[in-house]
Amino acid sequence: MQAFTNAHEKRSPTVIGAGCKLTGDIKTDHTVQIHGEVLGSIVAETVVIGRGGRVVGKITATNLFLHGSLDGPATVSTANVFSNAQMVGTLSYHTLNITGNTGLECKLAKRKDK
């Protein structure tokens, strides 16, 4: 996944950098990378919460890559949860991939919808 794009590309990610705090909602049909903190809901194709990244709010996405912290519900098609990830809330998913020792304190709900 690229962090930067050029003028010829039609899609570019939304990046919340380390040390940045955003209060508000994000809605895009592209990728959102969180390395800082977001207080609000996120609707996107792909959400990446990096190590040190934190989201307090609801996530709705096709793909979730969780390396950091999520406090709130998430409804996704595919959830990828990596070592050191932390989550409180309900994770609703079609496919769940867990790697390593995570700090999940959430309810897991397998989605039956298509």
Side-chain angles (χ1 to χ4, degrees):
M1 187 176 340
Q2 293 181 327
F4 301 99
T5 59
N6 62 44
H8 301 291
E9 295 183 57
K10 303 282 188 232
R11 298 168 53 123
S12 62
T14 299
V15 179
I16 306 301
C20 181
K21 181 176 181 178
L22 172 73
T23 300
D25 300 333
I26 298 171
K27 184 174 182 179
T28 181
D29 56 354
H30 305 306
T31 298
V32 177
Q33 297 178 15
I34 310 296
H35 302 286
E37 183 174 12
V38 172
L39 306 175
S41 67
I42 300 173
V43 177
E45 174 69 25
T46 300
V47 175
V48 178
I49 302 175
R51 279 181 261 162
R54 180 172 185 246
V55 174
V56 178
K58 179 180 180 181
I59 291 180
T60 304
T62 302
N63 303 295
L64 172 65
F65 294 88
L66 181 60
H67 297 271
S69 173
L70 172 58
D71 185 354
T75 301
V76 301
S77 290
T78 302
N80 299 284
V81 183
F82 297 90
S83 61
N84 300 318
Q86 302 211 353
M87 181 176 175
V88 176
T90 299
L91 176 58
S92 179
Y93 62 91
H94 286 295
T95 303
L96 175 63
N97 301 307
I98 299 177
T99 305
N101 185 17
T102 63
L104 295 180
E105 295 181 26
C106 63
K107 177 182 177 186
L108 299 176
K110 174 95 169 135
R111 292 175 56 193
K112 295 180 178 25
D113 60 327
K114 293 185 180 185

